[in-house]
Amino acid sequence: MASTGPEFPDRAQVVVIGGGIIGCSIAYHLTRRDITDVVVLEQGTLTCGTTWHAAGLVTQLKSTHSLTKLATYSARLFEQLEDETGQATGYRTPGSISVADNEQRWEEILRGATMAEGVGVETQVIDLDEASERWPLMRTDDLVGALFIPRDGQTSPVDTTISLAKGAKARGARVIENVAVTQLKAANGKITGVVTEKGEIEAEIVVLATGMWTRHLAAQIGVNVPLQACEHFYIVSEPLEGIEIGTPTLRDPGNYTYFKEETGKIMAGFFEPRGKVWRTDEIPRDFSFATLPEDWDHVGPVFERAIHRVPALGECGLQLFFNGPEAFTPDGVYYLGEAPEIDGCYVAAGFNSVGIQSGGGVGWALADWIADRHPPMDLNSVDIRRAQRFQADEAYLEERVSESLGLLYAMHWPFRQYESARGVRLSPLHDRIEAAGAVFGETAGWERPNWYANNGQAREYQYSYAKQNWHENMVAECMGVREAVGVFDQSSFAKFVVEGPDALEVLNRVSVAQIDSPIGKAVYTQWCNHKGGIEADLTVTRTGTDAFLVVTAAASENRDWTWLRRASRGLRVDIRNITRQMAMLGVMGPEARALLGQLTGADLSNEHFPFGTSKRLTIADCDVTTMRMSYVGELGWELYVANEEAVKLYDGIIEAGEPHGLVHAGYHAMNSLRLEAGMRHWGHDITDEDTPIEAGLGFAIAWDKEVDFIGRAALEAQREAPRTKRLIQFRIEDPDLLTYHDEPIYRDGVVVGRTSSSMWSTTQDTCCAMGYVEHEGAVTKDWLDSGSWETNIAGRRIPVSTSIRSWYDPRNERVHL
């Protein structure tokens, strides 16, 4: 497929680099948004790289609500694409069957199926006799369950890509093959174009849909895309009786294998427990349709597992052993969106073997993102802004990506912790809290205490969908905080110093709250987009006339830094990230005032140190920025101290805390405490799709401030309207069952919403959750009280109670004690 015109362009509104299914889908969807000045550049021919050797599976059910929406969009698009373009795609819907060989795997499958109900994906639990009917060559004697998804599909990756390219060209896009991009060009923090073998092209937008080439290409202009090529293996059998055209795809995650009917043969693809990293250096341009050598030593054990499920594979010949590289990411989820380092540079890469099934939805989402300057839905889980600089280190990638590939078919346990490439970021208190019994988890590279083991207790996770081995430890930590006082190491929280003559202007424009406050005032606020959706949830403290401290969650560091930097462009503002220079301790609980009072001469009473105040104090002979804030629903202070004095401060608190019943508390306890107290968590309970009004955070909006803050118009329009969407508190009325996220919520048997986050509540002695529900006539207390409410846990309808206010301290009085 050649260019639509004889002349090589010297400019375009959008240049898409990469002619695989992702690049062609993005171009196709851009033209559907009337952005037709689009050039697609492919260094070889369309589909070379990874697309050509993909299995072509179009699976709808993914790990989260948003990813499932993207995958189902792909399926619907591929169903009608041939009719639109006239180009055959080979798309068909034989369905898929997922099987479980133990009860825990079966629960995982059922929990996924209940999530799918809220997205409109049809699933059917089928008995093993029906499973055998649909897949006659499958062994079933050791299975405990099977799930059939009727509309799961298969497509020809090459034909589908050509069809998307044809659709894009029909609306004005240009597709140019056999031209490599040799350099990206940027100036003043913005993309300006590309250099190719045939000349330069100026561009307002450049999209990197370049698969396993992306990391090195993006690094030219300082864009961080930490992904790594790994070898991916599949075999194709000789023709087999019992495998007919139309046989569903079979997934046997317990044996790391999927089986696809291939014109009367079986394609068996493997996701082995430890992936095999290919080359970490730059991949040659001419590696287009090349393959890698066989490696039976690596694949053999998994192939034996495949034969266990489909014994006929051990008795037939093999027509093909295929090994080709694909790009994988450290967390097993692809990258999408505008790069935080360079405006106008968008990324769509690292698809972890789900590029075909994601291609349609990704093209739609990124095209809308470019056209509207905002994604069409909550895409935080795939947003490129989550990528960390240290993740581009080749040694890190080699270790971590091998594990993340292996986890694709492993059990997706709640609270699952990565085992490889750990210890990248350590709190200055790491050794102290490790000695206290900390069992660490990882967030954004930080080693953080998730829970504290008792003396003699193994410091390890024993995973389950029920209460895990650390449950009682967490309960004890929660009770310690509720009844006495707890200490949290929160050093991983991101901290930005914002200074300069225009600092107030910037922060007041991005914040819904009033930031023009007295020095020493700590303000809880949201940063919203123009639709009123919440982009960030954080605190801003005024430390001087033109100086402020912004504190946000560890996982939001890159995202919030980027939002602030872009809002400050061209203004007299200096922003410094001091996260690694300053430790942070939380001292929370009804005894917090008494404990800290022993360590400082300052008056900590409500009269002299009310909630939302920040002061520089001497505590335990350390210079401490002391902020009265709480994320756990109790009286408490956040203590910010230079790394050099962190251990001294900690030791002083521990020594003084013993008579007050001080406990060490981890992040599992923090999550439980904050949820039962109604504190929202950004990325789950509040996202860029949810407004402060919908989330019950309208109290934070300074309606009377004269600043036209971002999102004000949208929020003003929503202010007096009925609350048709609202964040609600739920209590699961079965103390033995736990929810996690994305479970459907029913009112009188009809799905009206889904959970956003869940955690065991010590004060309620059951699991509690938050979630959004929607009702055209307004979500009110009367509407909640007049309905019968349930959720779905692994296929079982479970009654839930509802409340607009939090279950614990519903009037939020304890933080003001």
PDB file of all heavy atoms in Angstrom, residues 344-359:
ATOM      1  N   GLY A 344       2.452  17.505  22.767  1.00  0.00           N
ATOM      2  CA  GLY A 344       2.166  17.122  21.394  1.00  0.00           C
ATOM      3  C   GLY A 344       2.768  15.800  20.973  1.00  0.00           C
ATOM      4  O   GLY A 344       2.543  15.360  19.842  1.00  0.00           O
ATOM      5  N   CYS A 345       3.533  15.156  21.842  1.00  0.00           N
ATOM      6  CA  CYS A 345       4.097  13.841  21.541  1.00  0.00           C
ATOM      7  C   CYS A 345       3.249  12.798  22.257  1.00  0.00           C
ATOM      8  O   CYS A 345       3.224  12.750  23.491  1.00  0.00           O
ATOM      9  CB  CYS A 345       5.551  13.748  21.988  1.00  0.00           C
ATOM     10  SG  CYS A 345       6.315  12.140  21.649  1.00  0.00           S
ATOM     11  N   TYR A 346       2.559  11.964  21.483  1.00  0.00           N
ATOM     12  CA  TYR A 346       1.666  10.950  22.050  1.00  0.00           C
ATOM     13  C   TYR A 346       2.278   9.563  21.866  1.00  0.00           C
ATOM     14  O   TYR A 346       3.006   9.311  20.906  1.00  0.00           O
ATOM     15  CB  TYR A 346       0.295  11.006  21.383  1.00  0.00           C
ATOM     16  CG  TYR A 346      -0.527  12.203  21.813  1.00  0.00           C
ATOM     17  CD1 TYR A 346      -0.279  13.466  21.286  1.00  0.00           C
ATOM     18  CD2 TYR A 346      -1.548  12.079  22.754  1.00  0.00           C
ATOM     19  CE1 TYR A 346      -1.023  14.574  21.683  1.00  0.00           C
ATOM     20  CE2 TYR A 346      -2.300  13.171  23.152  1.00  0.00           C
ATOM     21  CZ  TYR A 346      -2.034  14.412  22.620  1.00  0.00           C
ATOM     22  OH  TYR A 346      -2.776  15.500  23.007  1.00  0.00           O
ATOM     23  N   VAL A 347       1.948   8.695  22.806  1.00  0.00           N
ATOM     24  CA  VAL A 347       2.503   7.345  22.811  1.00  0.00           C
ATOM     25  C   VAL A 347       1.364   6.335  22.813  1.00  0.00           C
ATOM     26  O   VAL A 347       0.363   6.500  23.520  1.00  0.00           O
ATOM     27  CB  VAL A 347       3.405   7.126  24.045  1.00  0.00           C
ATOM     28  CG1 VAL A 347       3.900   5.684  24.113  1.00  0.00           C
ATOM     29  CG2 VAL A 347       4.578   8.089  24.032  1.00  0.00           C
ATOM     30  N   ALA A 348       1.525   5.277  22.030  1.00  0.00           N
ATOM     31  CA  ALA A 348       0.624   4.118  22.056  1.00  0.00           C
ATOM     32  C   ALA A 348       1.498   2.906  21.799  1.00  0.00           C
ATOM     33  O   ALA A 348       1.752   2.530  20.648  1.00  0.00           O
ATOM     34  CB  ALA A 348      -0.474   4.242  21.004  1.00  0.00           C
ATOM     35  N   ALA A 349       1.991   2.289  22.869  1.00  0.00           N
ATOM     36  CA  ALA A 349       3.001   1.241  22.708  1.00  0.00           C
ATOM     37  C   ALA A 349       3.020   0.334  23.935  1.00  0.00           C
ATOM     38  O   ALA A 349       2.458   0.663  24.973  1.00  0.00           O
ATOM     39  CB  ALA A 349       4.384   1.866  22.493  1.00  0.00           C
ATOM     40  N   GLY A 350       3.711  -0.801  23.778  1.00  0.00           N
ATOM     41  CA  GLY A 350       3.888  -1.734  24.886  1.00  0.00           C
ATOM     42  C   GLY A 350       2.652  -2.563  25.146  1.00  0.00           C
ATOM     43  O   GLY A 350       2.157  -2.627  26.267  1.00  0.00           O
ATOM     44  N   PHE A 351       2.176  -3.293  24.136  1.00  0.00           N
ATOM     45  CA  PHE A 351       0.840  -3.886  24.235  1.00  0.00           C
ATOM     46  C   PHE A 351       0.788  -5.291  24.834  1.00  0.00           C
ATOM     47  O   PHE A 351      -0.284  -5.880  24.915  1.00  0.00           O
ATOM     48  CB  PHE A 351       0.130  -3.820  22.882  1.00  0.00           C
ATOM     49  CG  PHE A 351      -0.452  -2.461  22.643  1.00  0.00           C
ATOM     50  CD1 PHE A 351       0.306  -1.461  22.064  1.00  0.00           C
ATOM     51  CD2 PHE A 351      -1.725  -2.160  23.071  1.00  0.00           C
ATOM     52  CE1 PHE A 351      -0.205  -0.189  21.895  1.00  0.00           C
ATOM     53  CE2 PHE A 351      -2.255  -0.897  22.903  1.00  0.00           C
ATOM     54  CZ  PHE A 351      -1.487   0.097  22.308  1.00  0.00           C
ATOM     55  N   ASN A 352       1.916  -5.837  25.262  1.00  0.00           N
ATOM     56  CA  ASN A 352       1.873  -7.055  26.075  1.00  0.00           C
ATOM     57  C   ASN A 352       0.994  -8.146  25.463  1.00  0.00           C
ATOM     58  O   ASN A 352       0.217  -8.807  26.143  1.00  0.00           O
ATOM     59  CB  ASN A 352       1.357  -6.722  27.479  1.00  0.00           C
ATOM     60  CG  ASN A 352       2.180  -5.676  28.186  1.00  0.00           C
ATOM     61  OD1 ASN A 352       3.203  -5.972  28.788  1.00  0.00           O
ATOM     62  ND2 ASN A 352       1.748  -4.418  28.090  1.00  0.00           N
ATOM     63  N   SER A 353       1.109  -8.317  24.140  1.00  0.00           N
ATOM     64  CA  SER A 353       0.376  -9.359  23.412  1.00  0.00           C
ATOM     65  C   SER A 353      -1.132  -9.133  23.334  1.00  0.00           C
ATOM     66  O   SER A 353      -1.875 -10.063  23.039  1.00  0.00           O
ATOM     67  CB  SER A 353       0.632 -10.748  24.009  1.00  0.00           C
ATOM     68  OG  SER A 353       1.918 -11.200  23.653  1.00  0.00           O
ATOM     69  N   VAL A 354      -1.609  -7.912  23.591  1.00  0.00           N
ATOM     70  CA  VAL A 354      -3.044  -7.651  23.435  1.00  0.00           C
ATOM     71  C   VAL A 354      -3.278  -6.518  22.436  1.00  0.00           C
ATOM     72  O   VAL A 354      -4.304  -5.847  22.475  1.00  0.00           O
ATOM     73  CB  VAL A 354      -3.725  -7.336  24.790  1.00  0.00           C
ATOM     74  CG1 VAL A 354      -3.611  -8.523  25.733  1.00  0.00           C
ATOM     75  CG2 VAL A 354      -3.146  -6.081  25.427  1.00  0.00           C
ATOM     76  N   GLY A 355      -2.340  -6.308  21.511  1.00  0.00           N
ATOM     77  CA  GLY A 355      -2.458  -5.204  20.571  1.00  0.00           C
ATOM     78  C   GLY A 355      -3.628  -5.333  19.617  1.00  0.00           C
ATOM     79  O   GLY A 355      -4.280  -4.333  19.291  1.00  0.00           O
ATOM     80  N   ILE A 356      -3.908  -6.551  19.152  1.00  0.00           N
ATOM     81  CA  ILE A 356      -5.011  -6.725  18.204  1.00  0.00           C
ATOM     82  C   ILE A 356      -6.332  -6.446  18.884  1.00  0.00           C
ATOM     83  O   ILE A 356      -7.153  -5.648  18.413  1.00  0.00           O
ATOM     84  CB  ILE A 356      -4.988  -8.145  17.599  1.00  0.00           C
ATOM     85  CG1 ILE A 356      -3.642  -8.423  16.922  1.00  0.00           C
ATOM     86  CG2 ILE A 356      -6.136  -8.308  16.602  1.00  0.00           C
ATOM     87  CD1 ILE A 356      -3.258  -7.445  15.839  1.00  0.00           C
ATOM     88  N   GLN A 357      -6.558  -7.085  20.025  1.00  0.00           N
ATOM     89  CA  GLN A 357      -7.843  -6.912  20.712  1.00  0.00           C
ATOM     90  C   GLN A 357      -8.014  -5.499  21.272  1.00  0.00           C
ATOM     91  O   GLN A 357      -9.137  -5.043  21.464  1.00  0.00           O
ATOM     92  CB  GLN A 357      -7.996  -7.933  21.832  1.00  0.00           C
ATOM     93  CG  GLN A 357      -6.934  -7.884  22.883  1.00  0.00           C
ATOM     94  CD  GLN A 357      -6.872  -9.150  23.726  1.00  0.00           C
ATOM     95  OE1 GLN A 357      -7.427  -9.190  24.808  1.00  0.00           O
ATOM     96  NE2 GLN A 357      -6.222 -10.184  23.237  1.00  0.00           N
ATOM     97  N   SER A 358      -6.913  -4.809  21.515  1.00  0.00           N
ATOM     98  CA  SER A 358      -6.999  -3.438  22.032  1.00  0.00           C
ATOM     99  C   SER A 358      -6.988  -2.396  20.921  1.00  0.00           C
ATOM    100  O   SER A 358      -7.328  -1.227  21.163  1.00  0.00           O
ATOM    101  CB  SER A 358      -5.827  -3.162  22.982  1.00  0.00           C
ATOM    102  OG  SER A 358      -5.775  -4.102  24.029  1.00  0.00           O
ATOM    103  N   GLY A 359      -6.580  -2.789  19.720  1.00  0.00           N
ATOM    104  CA  GLY A 359      -6.299  -1.830  18.654  1.00  0.00           C
ATOM    105  C   GLY A 359      -7.437  -0.899  18.317  1.00  0.00           C
ATOM    106  O   GLY A 359      -7.237   0.313  18.149  1.00  0.00           O
TER     107      GLY A 359
END
